[in-house]
Each structure stands twice: as C-alpha cells, then as structure tokens.
Amino acid sequence: MDQSTVYPVKLYVYDMSKGMARQLSPIMLGKQLDGIWHTAIVVHGDEFFYGGEGISSCQPGGTVLGAPNTVVDLGTTEVTEEIFMDYLTSLGESTYRGDRYRLFEHNCNTFSNEVAQFLTGAKIPAYITDLPSEVLSTPFGQALRPILDSIHIQPPGGNHFNGHYGQR
C-alpha cells in the first residue's frame, strides 16, 4: 500500500438531550449548556464510540441517535485501518473496557479525544471535553453526582468491538 495514503477523520457530535439542555440548564444549573454531548470518531468508513459496554462501531450515523447534530472535520490520518484496529484492540483490552466507563471522568468524549490525538494530533473541541467540569461546578451538579455516576451510556445500534481485528 502507498505510504502517502491519507484518510479523512471526522468527529460526530450528538446532543443526548435533544435540545432540552439548552432549555433547562439555566433553571437547573444556573448556567447555559448548549447540549449534553456524545461523540464518536468516524474513520475508515465506520463510526467508533465508547460507552458502558466498551468500544463499539457502526456505520456512520447508525445508532438510534441517528444523524449527528454536528460533524467536525479533524483532518486526515496516515494510520491504516489495520494499525487503527490494533490500536483499538489495545484500548479495548485496557483503558476503554466497559467496566472502566465513568460518566464524568472516562466517557465517550475522553475516548474520542484520545483517538483523535492518535489519528491526527488534534484534540476535540474544548466545549465538549469541558462539559463535565461545568456541570460539576454547580451545586445542582454536585447534588446529582451520586445518581449520575451510576449511569452508563451506550447508544443502541452499534456493534461491540470485541478487540479482535475483523471480528467486530
């Protein structure tokens, strides 16, 4: 394969609140939040994301979340699909196992950020990665934390990545 081949890398951004965060956050948190963000990386023709069951993949826009609210162009990568799948296997067996999911500290957005940096050297937008600290900086966020910590988000519709290339 030609070593100069490049592949586009996109960040799919979904508002899990379907617009409710924008309406209710000023009342509940005392500050405006534009959404409750779920993100995924799209590369090599698939969408990859992390949730309470580990790393999953699907066709782009193939979860029940439907089409993303926003698509961010993260640039391109020279990382081949085979190398990328080996990388995901490593992550899926260690850092991004399903039992390591934590809504505020270790979630789909931390996964997307780490994978984006591996593929392109670029981070995902700060308004996404800063959201947990914004919520937790409010009294209501602190009061809800014990309940929210027990939530494990896994958008239905993906294929669970079992850590073996070609056997997703």
Side-chain angles (χ1 to χ4, degrees), residues 43-107:
V43 66
H44 299 298
D46 281 320
E47 177 174 343
F48 298 91
F49 55 95
Y50 174 65
E53 296 182 15
I55 299 170
S56 296
S57 68
C58 63
Q59 290 186 352
T63 69
V64 297
L65 300 174
N69 295 78
T70 308
V71 176
V72 178
D73 183 356
L74 295 175
T76 60
T77 187
E78 293 182 10
V79 176
T80 65
E81 185 174 8
E82 183 176 3
I83 291 170
F84 182 61
M85 292 303 174
D86 287 345
Y87 171 71
L88 286 183
T89 297
S90 175
L91 291 180
E93 292 172 348
S94 58
T95 313
Y96 288 97
R97 293 191 328 242
D99 64 339
R100 299 230 171 140
Y101 182 89
R102 300 292 176 267
L103 184 63
F104 289 107
E105 293 90 11
H106 194 71
N107 55 43

Side-chain angles (χ1 to χ4, degrees), residues 25-26 31 45 59 61 65 74-75 98 121 127 140 143 148 154 157 159 163 165:
S25 61
K31 62 169 56 179
Q59 290 186 352
L65 300 174
L74 295 175
Y127 76 90
F140 190 69
L148 296 175
Q154 181 71 28
N159 299 311
Y165 177 68

Side-chain angles (χ1 to χ4, degrees), residues 91-150:
L91 291 180
E93 292 172 348
S94 58
T95 313
Y96 288 97
R97 293 191 328 242
D99 64 339
R100 299 230 171 140
Y101 182 89
R102 300 292 176 267
L103 184 63
F104 289 107
E105 293 90 11
H106 194 71
N107 55 43
C108 60
N109 302 322
T110 50
F111 170 79
S112 292
N113 196 43
E114 186 168 328
V115 173
Q117 289 178 71
F118 172 78
L119 291 170
T120 68
K123 293 182 176 184
I124 69 172
Y127 76 90
I128 296 168
T129 54
D130 292 347
L131 181 63
S133 61
E134 281 192 57
V135 171
L136 293 175
S137 72
T138 69
F140 190 69
Q142 282 295 313
L144 283 180
R145 183 170 187 155
I147 296 166
L148 296 175
D149 275 342
S150 68

Side-chain angles (χ1 to χ4, degrees), residues 1-6 78:
M1 174 178 269
D2 181 8
Q3 292 299 320
S4 65
T5 301
V6 294
E78 293 182 10

Side-chain angles (χ1 to χ4, degrees), residues 146-167:
I147 296 166
L148 296 175
D149 275 342
S150 68
I151 295 173
H152 295 271
I153 297 173
Q154 181 71 28
N159 299 311
H160 303 294
F161 186 88
N162 69 8
H164 301 289
Y165 177 68
Q167 298 177 350

